[in-house]
């Protein structure tokens, strides 16, 4: 596996990766997805031994107080191989100085286990006082 912040994947590689995990809300409008990736504060791409895009993580941040992980995805055939952890570690290292790292995700048991293993806490279980998370999603 190779991680890179500068070796940009092709449009087809990006669409194939997002399609592989069923994120059609992104692939239904490829131009918006590509714009979102290019406008992200930081993105890391993971390539397999055949130089195919196996995963990516992208964040939005003010680089001072908050880092929001917008997307982290790994091709199903490459899941449980350490790629997700390597991608997340790259973000944790780059943004170790920020106060808040935030992520919103689906409610699936394997995702919860992964994010907890990376040191994240679900909002309802935050030990330092009650916090609420609010979000609005366009239909």
């Amino acid at each position: 596996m190779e991680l890179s912040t500068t070796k940009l994947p092709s449009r087809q590689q990006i669409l194939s990766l997002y399609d592989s995990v069923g994120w059609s809300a992104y692939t239904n409008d490829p131009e918006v997805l590509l714009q979102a990736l290019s406008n992200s504060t930081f993105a890391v791409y993971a390539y397999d031994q055949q130089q195919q895009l196996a995963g990516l993580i992208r964040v939005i941040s003010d680089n001072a107080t908050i880092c929001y992980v917008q997307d982290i995805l790994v091709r199903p055939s490459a899941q449980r191989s350490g790629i997700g952890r390597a991608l997340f570690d790259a973000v944790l290292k780059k943004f170790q100085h920020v106060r808040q790292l935030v992520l919103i995700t689906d409610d699936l048991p394997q995702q919860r286990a992964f994010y907890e293993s990376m040191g994240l806490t679900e909002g309802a279980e935050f030990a330092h006082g009650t916090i609420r998370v609010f979000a609005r999603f366009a239909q």
Side-chain angles (χ1 to χ4, degrees):
M1 171 194 49
E2 172 191 357
L3 295 182
S4 179
T5 59
T6 58
K7 180 180 171 184
L8 301 180
S10 71
R11 172 190 177 106
Q12 186 53 41
Q13 286 180 309
I14 291 167
L15 294 176
S16 173
L17 176 63
Y18 277 80
D19 277 336
S20 77
V21 296
W23 289 12
S24 60
Y26 287 92
T27 58
N28 286 341
D29 195 343
E31 297 310 315
V32 170
L33 172 58
L34 296 173
Q35 181 181 10
L37 282 166
S38 70
N39 288 339
S40 295
T41 306
F42 184 66
V44 182
Y45 304 98
Y47 296 91
D48 65 19
Q49 292 179 341
Q50 291 75 38
Q51 295 303 301
Q52 294 303 307
L53 184 64
L56 70 80
I57 190 167
R58 72 181 186 96
V59 303
I60 310 300
S61 178
D62 63 11
N63 204 24
T65 63
I66 191 163
C67 172
Y68 178 79
V69 177
Q70 173 58 36
D71 294 344
I72 178 170
L73 56 157
V74 176
R75 188 174 299 281
S77 61
Q79 290 176 0
R80 306 198 64 74
S81 68
I83 291 174
R85 178 169 295 281
L87 290 168
F88 211 90
D89 282 344
V91 167
L92 291 176
K93 182 178 180 183
K94 175 151 179 78
F95 294 97
Q96 63 187 335
H97 61 284
V98 301
R99 182 172 175 263
Q100 295 178 55
L101 187 133
V102 179
L103 177 136
I104 298 173
T105 189
D106 297 327
D107 187 16
L108 299 173
Q110 65 271 28
Q111 289 174 335
R112 180 184 177 117
F114 173 73
Y115 294 123
E116 286 177 343
S117 78
M118 298 307 300
L120 277 72
T121 303
E122 186 175 357
E125 299 171 0
F126 192 64
H128 303 291
T130 303
I131 64 168
R132 293 178 190 235
V133 176
F134 296 92
R136 184 178 106 186
F137 294 88
Q139 299 300 328

